[in-house]
Amino acid sequence: FVAGISLAQLPYHRDLQRRVQPLMHFFIAVFFVSLGIDMQLDVSLLFWAKATVLALFVVVGKFIIVMFVVARLGYSERTSYFAALLLTQVSEFSFILIALGVEAGFVDSSAAALLGLIGLISITVSTVAIVFREPLYQTVHRLGLCRMFRAGAEDRHPGGEGSELENHIIIVGM
């Protein structure tokens, strides 16, 4: 992480990023393939009903939480909706944590199988929702379902005049 921030300060960081990107994609693919290899599909399918309910809970719960938080930060209904929609799936970090838990003997491998199936369902649902994000937003907006979050009419831009964020530095890394 620190090395990445240091390299980002160089004048030729774009060239480095372009050269490293295929390697990054390779390691992402290896990560997901290794997770898939460890997943026992026969054990996972025993939990399909639980996994479906929990995946629905994750998708809807994360959507509501993120939508509420982003709306409270003063962003518009549309921005709040899209931010919430993009964050509905189970995080890849949870796969790493459950794998470490299984390896250390804290949880049973059936818990990893259940989480794997929840991840598979939630990632699939969120991917489909993202593909159809605009028609979904139009439907939700027309039904007035986002009004309960009381989002702003327009996006407030942090760091504007009189803002609390004056004289701050925001670092965004890759």
Side-chain angles (χ1 to χ4, degrees):
F1 180 73
V2 173
I5 291 175
S6 300
L7 290 174
Q9 306 310 313
L10 298 175
Y12 40 87
H13 72 280
R14 294 275 184 223
D15 187 45
L16 288 172
Q17 182 180 2
R18 185 181 50 78
R19 290 178 187 220
V20 171
Q21 197 152 13
L23 187 62
M24 184 176 71
H25 290 298
F26 171 74
F27 282 119
I28 290 171
V30 167
F31 172 74
F32 280 108
V33 168
S34 68
L35 284 175
I37 288 172
D38 289 341
M39 190 172 165
Q40 300 167 352
L41 195 57
D42 56 338
V43 175
S44 297
L45 292 179
L46 294 174
F47 302 117
W48 71 269
K50 287 181 186 177
T52 303
V53 170
L54 289 171
L56 184 64
F57 177 73
V58 167
V59 169
V60 172
K62 283 183 78 174
F63 180 86
I64 289 171
I65 291 168
V66 173
M67 178 83 180
F68 177 79
V69 169
V70 175
R72 294 286 73 72
L73 290 173
Y75 289 94
S76 70
E77 178 182 289
R78 181 180 179 83
T79 300
S80 301
Y81 174 84
F82 286 129
L85 188 68
L86 292 171
L87 295 172
T88 56
Q89 71 276 359
V90 170
S91 168
E92 296 85 7
F93 189 64
S94 63
F95 297 135
I96 294 170
L97 287 178
I98 198 79
L100 291 172
V102 168
E103 188 177 309
F106 295 131
V107 291
D108 191 5
S109 62
S110 61
L114 178 63
L115 180 67
L117 196 55
I118 293 168
L120 196 62
I121 294 168
S122 69
I123 289 170
T124 302
V125 167
S126 70
T127 301
V128 170
I130 290 168
V131 168
F132 296 106
R133 66 188 172 274
E134 196 59 46
L136 282 173
Y137 173 72
Q138 294 303 326
T139 302
V140 168
H141 180 72
R142 189 172 46 253
L143 294 173
L145 296 175
C146 291
R147 278 189 231 135
M148 69 178 125
F149 296 101
R150 295 190 210 109
E154 292 182 16
D155 285 340
R156 181 185 60 151
H157 296 286
E161 199 171 306
S163 168
E164 298 173 8
L165 295 179
E166 286 184 18
N167 299 321
H168 280 69
I169 297 173
I170 299 173
I171 299 174
V172 179
M174 178 176 159

